[in-house]
Amino acid sequence: MFKKKWAVVLLTLCLAIVAAACGNNANNSSNNGNQSSDSGSNGSGSGEKVTIKFMHLWPEGVSAGQNKIVNQIINEYQTEHPNVTIKQEVLDNEQYKNKLKVLSASNQLPDVGVTWAAGFLQPYVDGKLFAPLDDLLSGDLNGKFVNGTTEAYAIDGKTYGLPLEFNITPVYYNKAIFEKYNLQVPTTYDEFKNVVKTLSDNGIAPITLGNKDRWTGSLWYMYLADRFAGQETLANAINGSGSFKDPSLIKAATEIQSLVDSNAFVKGFNGLSNEEAKSEFLNGHAAMYMMGTWELPNFTTNEDIPQDFRNNVGFFKFPTVEGGKGDINSWVGGPGVGLFVSENSKVKDEAKKFVDYFVQKWGEQAVTGAGVIPATKVDTSTLQLPQLYLDLFDEMNKATSITLFADVQMEAGAAEKHLNLIQSLFGKAITPEKFSEEHDAALSK
Amino acid sequence: MDKVMSNKKIIALYVLPSLLLILAIVYIPIVLTGYYGLNEWNGIGSMKFIGFDNYSALIKDHLFWSSAGHSLLLAVFSALSLIVYLVIAMVLSAKLKGANLFRKIYLIPMLLSSVAIAQLWLKILHPTNGILNSILESLGVDNPPAWLAEPNLVLFALFIPILWQYAGFYILIYYAALKNIPTSLEEAAKIDGATSLQIAYKIKLPLAMEVIKVTIVLAVVGSLKYFDLIYVMTDGGPNGSSEVMASYMYHQAFKSYDFGYGSAIGFFLLIICLVATWVIRKLTASKDTIQYS
């Protein structure tokens, strides 16, 4: 028979292993295969072999267009600089964020990597992990960026990331469904509510929304807040100088719940991921879908999606509210991801040169290759581009203001709180008043 | 050989490699987690030692306690479901036609990765195109619920896949334990006129008891630290109604950048699991172990 004492010891051991396994993810995984790069010198002597580690989030399967461009740019760079080798590490979005954090904790960041703006950037800058890139901005990148993009990457007057993408968030709609029910593109919020009502009466899901991801619902709240309260009130509430208890902001939260009540959103939206919600739109089960312009390729050039459907996608600006302070040309959006250079990189100068090169090439190729809108200025007149892309591009240039996504603006803890509150608001687990109070409490910390 | 094996130095030498390994990847990290838990740290910058502040915040954190409640609920369900698995194993271990095939069928979920299982069940539970709701609608249920979006239903909608995932594992263990029981005992009981039920209850159950105790510990501890399906399927939502301790720890450390607090939760979870193990062993301790005669 098995001795009991040993059984206890063994079981406890197993248990400890298992319990430790999750708590110590960070420590374990940071020991996995992250050898520090072995390229010695700080100088960039032309003949010297240099390896630059580049970590990004465009895997082949998910972001085929971007992945191709990255590889092209890297190949070109290596051809032009035979002494430089770029070593890629590719992860998907969620994993990327986690890994970046783990690598920072153990001070093993890649030489070049992808980052988000504002709130995401803050802890890395505080920890002195990202190198300031202002010298690049005053170099040959001077004046190449769209206004307001590099600013989002600036902290205390220094820029720590160079933006690659610039996004605004329209409401995409299915023209065929709109035609079928004789619906016009809404320009006022009342018209919008009528569209919702007509569709829902006819058994079509008016709006698809994957609110499991929470930032998706945040977009809706931000637009309503902007249209009711105006851009400035919303901006002040988010940066803490104003308050979410502003009556017009509470009104916006109330309006979210009345949209939920009128069955505006697809069934079970709080349990659906954005990907699942998107497929509802792609297969014609839902009439409208609000999402950033990074989705454009799916509605224009992506051959995996039927041509018939792609021809049927239009967009409209979020309508204005009667008596609201918001302007129809005020958008929610902002710079997407950008590139950083690690402060502790052994090949910092080389890495900076590569980033400089990458950003310029990306601007030229992202438009045609991936169909996304780059953060650098592009002359679209010389390129053959889909109409939907051109229209949105023009809208972007006409924008009176662009409010950065709330969860990007806030620091991590407050952003997490905001996203949870959004889900509660949509799920009617919280009153608009309480929603506003909790926001103020989270932002004053 | 005996000489070698009784030499303490040799024993130490043989134990050393695995001891070093387990120290490096298990025990040292546990100690470190305990230490991180005493600091205010966002995982990136410098640490600030704050003593037991994280723990006192944890005691007051109602979100943590609600997720602990969800974990406990899962543990209760897992423990209760063991009864069902035991019955299934009993039936399978009887000489039944097709028992082998069924055993293999029950085992399939074990061979799939958690993420694949999560994707499968997401498809089943999809509010509009899911198999489950399609069946319900065809049975005349008007407007079946969106399982993963309803705060009151989401836990149960998650428990079913979790229990399904581990069913094969426990059935297999029970099956092996029951097969180990000498058939002579059963035959003797049959001659004395015992019914199958009596045999199951009076002979098989007591003889499988040691194994059952182990599975109770496994099921309870496994439930308390459960993470995978919940993370993929609901990410603790909606509004935290399916948050469990491990997912809450993950959110605090990796989403809110509160690494110190996350570590404190992790360490607390370890203590809870150890206590649970100890309690279960105390409760199920029997003075005399039954031996096969």
Side-chain angles (χ1 to χ4, degrees):
Chain A
M1 226 22 237
F2 204 39
K3 284 220 180 65
K4 204 160 176 180
K5 194 172 67 181
W6 281 107
V8 176
V9 171
L10 244 159
L11 267 172
T12 317
L13 213 69
C14 294
L15 170 70
I17 290 171
V18 177
C22 28
N24 286 287
N25 238 338
N27 305 308
N28 292 340
S29 48
S30 58
N31 294 334
N32 290 344
N34 300 313
Q35 316 84 352
S36 57
S37 73
D38 49 356
S39 41
S41 78
N42 292 326
S44 47
S46 58
E48 214 156 330
K49 283 266 180 282
V50 177
T51 306
I52 298 176
K53 286 170 76 179
F54 177 32
M55 196 163 103
H56 67 78
L57 42 67
W58 296 291
E60 209 168 343
V62 189
S63 323
Q66 284 95 329
N67 186 282
K68 214 168 92 189
I69 296 171
V70 170
N71 281 313
Q72 267 174 0
I73 297 175
I74 288 178
N75 288 339
E76 286 169 27
Y77 191 79
Q78 292 184 152
T79 322
E80 287 177 36
H81 306 77
N83 62 321
V84 178
T85 317
I86 312 279
K87 231 169 88 181
Q88 288 187 69
E89 182 173 5
V90 194
L91 301 123
D92 79 11
N93 193 321
E94 241 4 71
Q95 287 176 326
Y96 179 89
K97 281 186 180 170
N98 290 342
K99 176 135 192 188
L100 196 69
K101 201 158 169 351
V102 170
L103 292 180
S104 328
S106 54
N107 215 340
Q108 295 182 321
L109 283 176
D111 303 312
V112 177
V114 173
T115 172
W116 287 261
F120 181 90
L121 201 62
Q122 188 78 47
Y124 293 90
V125 173
D126 291 343
K128 298 199 172 40
L129 292 170
F130 290 180
L133 300 172
D134 297 278
D135 47 336
L136 296 183
L137 283 176
S138 52
D140 53 4
L141 284 173
N142 196 349
K144 289 241 169 97
F145 284 99
V146 176
N147 283 342
T149 51
T150 50
E151 285 82 344
Y153 281 90
I155 290 178
D156 301 334
K158 283 185 182 157
T159 313
Y160 292 92
L162 295 186
L164 293 173
E165 291 172 9
F166 192 58
N167 296 296
I168 49 174
T169 316
V171 182
Y172 301 103
Y173 72 100
N174 185 320
K175 289 179 187 165
I177 297 178
F178 269 52
E179 255 164 56
K180 191 175 167 189
Y181 299 105
N182 289 324
L183 294 166
Q184 301 301 318
V185 167
T187 53
T188 68
Y189 189 64
D190 289 337
E191 287 174 17
F192 175 76
K193 280 198 288 200
N194 278 331
V195 168
V196 167
K197 191 174 177 326
T198 309
L199 289 167
S200 134
D201 289 349
N202 284 294
I204 301 269
I207 302 161
T208 184
L209 168 70
N211 210 26
K212 183 171 113 182
D213 295 343
R214 304 172 306 170
W215 55 267
T216 43
S218 173
L219 298 173
W220 283 92
Y221 172 74
M222 284 192 72
Y223 266 120
L224 281 165
D226 178 274
R227 297 301 189 252
F228 274 103
Q231 195 257 338
E232 208 167 317
T233 313
L234 174 62
N236 289 340
I238 292 174
N239 69 28
S241 62
S243 162
F244 272 89
K245 291 204 203 64
D246 185 288
S248 49
L249 287 176
I250 293 185
K251 181 88 188 69
T254 313
E255 200 51 53
I256 287 280
Q257 297 196 331
S258 78
L259 278 179
V260 172
D261 287 343
S262 61
N263 293 328
F265 301 106
V266 69
K267 184 176 168 177
F269 57 83
N270 253 359
L272 292 178
S273 69
N274 182 38
E275 286 302 311
E276 288 172 303
K278 185 166 50 182
S279 67
E280 296 289 296
F281 183 66
L282 295 177
N283 59 27
H285 288 175
M288 293 180 268
Y289 176 50
M290 181 196 284
M291 199 36 60
T293 37
W294 58 79
E295 281 301 337
L296 269 176
N298 285 331
F299 309 139
T300 53
T301 52
N302 185 348
E303 295 295 338
D304 297 338
I305 290 161
Q307 180 75 44
D308 289 354
F309 177 83
R310 282 181 279 149
N311 293 342
N312 264 327
V313 179
F315 78 91
F316 59 85
K317 305 180 226 185
F318 198 91
T320 48
V321 181
E322 183 101 359
K325 298 193 194 89
D327 173 20
I328 193 135
N329 285 321
S330 163
W331 293 86
V332 171
V337 293
L339 292 183
F340 71 82
V341 172
S342 162
E343 175 69 37
N344 304 320
S345 161
K346 292 197 174 71
V347 288
K348 203 167 15 176
D349 294 341
E350 291 292 343
K352 276 186 179 177
K353 276 190 195 141
F354 172 65
V355 166
D356 187 286
Y357 181 93
F358 190 97
V359 169
Q360 295 191 52
K361 288 285 170 193
W362 176 272
E364 293 161 21
Q365 299 185 13
V367 180
T368 44
V372 294
I373 300 176
T376 40
K377 290 172 186 163
V378 185
D379 181 10
T380 51
S381 59
T382 56
L383 300 166
Q384 274 291 327
L385 293 165
Q387 197 52 45
L388 189 69
Y389 183 100
L390 289 172
D391 291 347
L392 272 162
F393 196 86
D394 291 343
E395 287 295 348
M396 203 169 82
N397 293 326
K398 279 198 311 213
T400 48
S401 74
I402 291 178
T403 307
L404 188 59
F405 307 110
D407 56 319
V408 178
Q409 281 193 60
M410 299 172 184
E411 58 88 25
E416 190 64 8
K417 189 87 190 134
H418 160 76
L419 294 171
N420 285 337
L421 286 168
I422 286 283
Q423 212 178 34
S424 304
L425 180 74
F426 273 80
K428 302 188 69 179
I430 191 173
T431 62
E433 291 74 19
K434 187 101 177 83
F435 170 85
S436 304
E437 262 168 48
E438 297 255 333
H439 261 99
D440 282 353
L443 288 162
S444 63
K445 266 182 192 163
Chain B
M1 193 69 203
D2 279 349
K3 247 192 183 139
V4 170
M5 278 325 208
S6 59
N7 181 336
K8 291 273 190 301
K9 279 179 189 152
I10 300 284
I11 293 174
L13 191 70
Y14 276 104
V15 170
L16 198 66
S18 25
L19 187 71
L20 284 179
L21 207 62
I22 211 159
L23 273 179
I25 62 176
V26 180
Y27 287 104
I28 291 170
I30 289 179
V31 173
L32 282 175
T33 302
Y35 171 69
Y36 294 151
L38 303 176
N39 286 276
E40 189 179 341
W41 186 37
N42 65 4
I44 294 171
S46 50
M47 292 189 206
K48 189 170 137 225
F49 189 81
I50 52 167
F52 285 92
D53 285 10
N54 280 329
Y55 290 91
S56 57
L58 189 63
I59 301 295
K60 290 192 223 94
D61 186 348
H62 66 272
L63 284 173
F64 171 74
W65 289 112
S66 84
S67 54
H70 300 155
S71 292
L72 196 66
L73 201 61
L74 176 59
V76 170
F77 271 83
S78 304
L80 289 176
S81 63
L82 291 178
I83 299 168
V84 180
Y85 304 150
L86 187 62
V87 170
I88 293 174
M90 291 252 187
V91 172
L92 287 181
S93 66
K95 288 181 179 56
L96 193 78
K97 261 212 175 93
N100 259 334
L101 175 72
F102 275 106
R103 238 177 54 228
K104 292 193 174 82
I105 290 174
Y106 288 130
L107 260 181
I108 287 175
M110 261 189 77
L111 308 174
L112 297 172
S113 80
S114 284
V115 175
I117 291 178
Q119 292 299 339
L120 176 73
W121 281 88
L122 280 173
K123 298 277 181 296
I124 294 173
L125 296 169
H126 192 285
T128 45
N129 326 331
I131 304 168
L132 181 60
N133 279 1
S134 306
I135 291 173
L136 287 175
E137 273 173 2
S138 65
L139 292 174
V141 178
D142 192 35
N143 204 2
W147 300 97
L148 297 175
E150 301 281 347
N152 317 324
L153 295 174
V154 65
L155 273 181
F156 299 97
L158 285 169
F159 286 179
I160 290 162
I162 295 170
L163 298 179
W164 177 83
Q165 181 183 11
Y166 286 102
F169 174 68
Y170 291 115
I171 289 171
L172 192 70
I173 292 181
Y174 289 151
Y175 178 83
L178 294 168
K179 276 287 176 199
N180 259 338
I181 298 171
T183 45
S184 55
L185 293 178
E186 205 175 326
E187 281 158 8
K190 274 206 178 111
I191 291 165
D192 291 342
T195 61
S196 319
L197 268 182
Q198 281 173 318
I199 291 173
Y201 187 71
K202 294 239 161 81
I203 295 172
K204 290 183 174 179
L205 193 67
L207 288 174
M209 210 55 203
E210 287 305 313
V211 173
I212 292 171
K213 285 177 195 173
V214 172
T215 55
I216 293 174
V217 173
L218 281 180
V220 169
V221 171
S223 305
L224 290 176
K225 58 170 196 58
Y226 194 78
F227 178 75
D228 346 3
L229 280 196
I230 290 177
Y231 171 67
V232 181
M233 286 174 75
T234 63
D235 200 14
N239 333 327
S241 48
S242 63
E243 196 88 282
V244 290
M245 282 188 278
S247 66
Y248 189 61
M249 171 182 79
Y250 171 82
H251 282 138
Q252 289 298 327
F254 283 89
K255 289 280 154 68
S256 303
Y257 280 42
D258 201 341
F259 223 80
Y261 194 51
S263 301
I265 297 171
F267 203 72
F268 199 71
L269 182 57
L270 171 70
I271 291 164
I272 290 176
C273 287
L274 287 171
V275 169
T277 310
W278 183 77
V279 167
I280 293 166
R281 295 201 65 82
K282 275 276 175 256
L283 287 178
T284 55
S286 53
K287 284 172 194 68
D288 45 345
T289 49
I290 298 166
Q291 300 279 1
Y292 304 131
S293 48

